[in-house]
């Protein structure tokens, strides 16, 4: 599911980022905030009119705000950090 569709306060992990949907400077900004595949993420608040504005997210231990278009480029999954984690135990 996209980060834009993640229910509020639902812990998840970044599964895939569509870097081609972002400009190089936007991608660099997200990387500097720690957004990469495998990072823990949680949607905290949807801003703007009717919740269609920026999204406040917790990335690791940091809280950031990102544009909805940037969040739409991020695919997340709930559940274990690594998909093979359960089979390794």
């Amino acid at each position: 599911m996209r980060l834009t569709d993640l229910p509020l306060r639902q812990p998840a992990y970044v599964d895939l980022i569509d870097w081609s949907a972002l400009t190089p400077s936007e991608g660099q900004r997200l990387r500097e905030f720690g957004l990469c595949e495998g990072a823990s993420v949680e949607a905290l608040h949807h801003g703007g009119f009717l919740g269609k504005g920026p999204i406040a997210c917790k990335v690791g231990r940091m809280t950031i705000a990102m544009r909805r278009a940037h969040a739409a480029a991020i695919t997340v999954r709930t559940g274990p950090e690594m998909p093979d984690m359960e089979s390794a135990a």
Side-chain angles (χ1 to χ4, degrees), residues 1-8 10 12-21 41 43 46 55 57 66 68-78:
M1 87 177 75
R2 300 282 178 194
L3 181 55
T4 53
D5 301 324
L6 184 67
L8 296 180
Q10 169 76 46
Y13 294 95
V14 176
D15 199 29
L16 181 70
I17 300 173
D18 182 5
W19 297 111
S20 65
V41 66
H46 296 262
I55 299 175
C57 296
M66 73 173 71
R68 186 163 289 278
H70 299 167
I74 301 170
T75 303
V76 298
R77 62 180 152 68
T78 58

Side-chain angles (χ1 to χ4, degrees), residues 21-32:
L22 306 169
T23 67
S25 62
E26 292 168 342
Q28 179 65 31
R29 179 178 170 264
L30 293 181
R31 284 185 191 95
E32 288 171 358

Side-chain angles (χ1 to χ4, degrees), residues 42-85:
E42 182 179 337
L44 300 175
H45 179 75
H46 296 262
F49 185 67
L50 297 175
K52 299 295 183 187
I55 299 175
C57 296
K58 187 174 180 181
V59 179
R61 297 184 323 172
M62 184 184 334
T63 301
I64 66 168
M66 73 173 71
R67 293 181 177 118
R68 186 163 289 278
H70 299 167
I74 301 170
T75 303
V76 298
R77 62 180 152 68
T78 58
E81 181 176 354
M82 304 277 290
D84 300 285
M85 198 176 224

